[in-house]
Amino acid sequence: MHAYVARRLLSLLPTLVIASLIVFISIRLIPGDVVDLMLSNNDISAEPKSREQLIAALGLDQPMWRQYLLWVRAIVFHGDLGTSLWQGTSVTEQIAARLPVTMELGAIALVVSLSMALPIGIYSAMRQDTAGDYAARSFSILLLAVPSFWLGTMVVVFPSIWWGWSPPIDYVGFFVNPWQNLQQMVVPGIVLGTSLSAITMRMTRTMMLEVLRQDYIRTAQAKGLSERVIVLRHALRNALIPVVTLIGLQAPLLLGGAVIIEQIFVIPGMGMLLLEAVSQRDYPIVTGVFLIVGVAVLVINLLVDLSYGLLDPKVRAR
């Protein structure tokens, strides 16, 4: 197991290098230049001299390959993701302040998603082709068809019109005031988790149906074991392996893809930071956010692979 983990960790390095190259180059190919934005926002005349001075001050006068190597060297030797071109503050500090917010939102969404998807998916498989099964399948299809941004907008708009209530917008850290923090984070977490639960629900049902048709399940039923024991001790663990894989694939949505939800509910997380950085062409922040999200996604997928051994003893034996 130790050798397997070491090999997987080493395999992360080329993946991160390729991903960082793609992000580093692609963000600079987006139409619009950060220098032009700065000159226009500060009402500075775009004279060649002023423009050249600004380019040199930002370090953009060097070739792109040299900028990339300097960026990588700062990360490897100093753990420094660079400095924001607009605020002049450390990108590492900004990400460190925003990452816990997004992780909290993602954790709430994941709990909501699994709390809905697993029980409904299992029930739907156990009651195949009954009224409850049709209702559960229709519900999952409805959630697939409803975009999370639309659901979030409706949650904000209609309660404010009907009851004069809207989610709080002044963010308070969890350790500052846990109750006030949860008041703001639970609603967007439910919206995001509800949207993510649809595909997990359908995957759970499909895998449970496949496992329930196996010979060992029929043997357990012939021995007179209760339905609860058959599901929890024999069927569920084998059915969960593809479901766990799917949850790992949803990690980018939980960490970096909640941009619209954070925008709707005014949550100062990684999504908001990334959106602001892209609109301002703040290259160090964009590359830093993508690098952190990439590392997190790769580590989560490694943990998902390791969890297979807990669910299926045959994986440990191999």
Side-chain angles (χ1 to χ4, degrees):
M1 181 62 72
H2 293 162
Y4 171 75
V5 174
R7 288 196 303 270
R8 286 300 305 271
L9 290 175
L10 289 175
S11 69
L12 300 183
L13 294 178
T15 305
L16 286 175
V17 171
I18 295 172
S20 64
L21 272 171
I22 293 173
V23 173
F24 194 90
I25 295 173
S26 60
I27 186 61
R28 286 160 173 76
L29 298 179
I30 296 177
D33 185 77
V34 63
V35 176
D36 294 331
L37 290 175
M38 288 183 173
L39 292 175
S40 60
N41 287 354
N42 293 290
D43 295 328
I44 302 175
S45 61
E47 296 179 359
K49 184 177 180 180
S50 301
R51 182 180 177 82
E52 290 175 2
Q53 290 176 345
L54 183 57
I55 291 175
L58 297 176
L60 301 177
D61 56 335
Q62 303 182 36
M64 191 179 298
W65 63 268
R66 182 173 176 79
Q67 294 180 41
Y68 176 78
L69 292 179
L70 291 174
W71 178 66
V72 171
R73 187 180 69 175
I75 294 174
V76 172
F77 292 103
H78 306 289
D80 184 14
L81 294 174
T83 304
S84 170
L85 299 180
W86 287 82
Q87 291 86 17
T89 55
S90 170
V91 174
T92 305
E93 293 178 358
Q94 292 197 46
I95 292 177
R98 302 289 190 104
L99 184 59
V101 181
T102 297
M103 291 180 66
E104 181 186 358
L105 177 62
I108 295 173
L110 183 60
V111 170
V112 171
S113 174
L114 296 181
S115 299
M116 293 177 59
L118 295 182
I120 295 177
I122 294 171
Y123 173 82
S124 180
M126 297 298 298
R127 300 292 182 266
Q128 184 182 11
D129 295 332
T130 63
D133 179 29
Y134 289 129
R137 288 157 62 184
S138 300
F139 179 61
S140 65
I141 293 173
L142 175 64
L143 293 182
L144 283 172
V146 175
S148 60
F149 65 85
W150 181 87
L151 184 60
T153 303
M154 296 302 102
V155 168
V156 171
V157 171
F158 284 115
S160 63
I161 295 175
W162 293 338
W163 305 299
W165 176 89
S166 61
I169 61 174
D170 295 327
Y171 178 78
V172 177
F174 180 81
F175 296 103
V176 176
N177 190 329
W179 174 244
Q180 189 172 347
N181 172 268
L182 290 176
Q183 282 183 312
Q184 184 178 16
M185 299 295 287
V186 165
V187 175
I190 291 175
V191 171
L192 184 59
T194 301
S195 299
L196 293 176
S197 68
I199 185 66
T200 308
M201 197 181 303
R202 295 189 65 82
M203 177 64 78
T204 303
R205 178 186 181 275
T206 301
M207 298 312 304
M208 280 295 296
L209 285 175
E210 182 177 336
V211 171
L212 290 173
R213 296 190 182 105
Q214 300 297 318
D215 292 338
Y216 70 90
I217 297 294
R218 285 194 288 268
T219 302
Q221 292 171 341
K223 289 181 177 180
L225 295 180
S226 65
E227 185 178 73
R228 181 174 180 272
V229 172
I230 292 174
V231 170
L232 295 181
R233 296 190 60 182
H234 297 280
L236 184 58
R237 290 179 65 177
N238 290 324
L240 278 182
I241 292 180
V243 177
V244 170
T245 303
L246 179 63
I247 294 171
L249 295 175
Q250 291 177 340
L253 298 176
L254 295 173
L255 291 174
V259 177
I260 299 177
I261 295 297
E262 291 184 2
Q263 180 78 8
I264 293 173
F265 292 94
V266 198
I267 298 174
M270 295 277 282
M272 286 280 287
L273 179 64
L274 180 62
L275 187 64
E276 295 167 359
V278 171
S279 63
Q280 294 178 337
R281 306 298 188 272
D282 202 333
Y283 307 138
I285 292 182
V286 175
T287 51
V289 169
F290 273 105
L291 182 65
I292 296 300
V293 171
V295 171
V297 169
L298 292 174
V299 171
I300 289 173
N301 280 279
L302 174 61
L303 295 177
V304 166
D305 289 346
L306 296 178
S307 69
Y308 295 159
L310 299 176
L311 296 172
D312 188 355
K314 292 183 293 184
V315 175
R316 293 198 299 268
R318 289 195 295 266

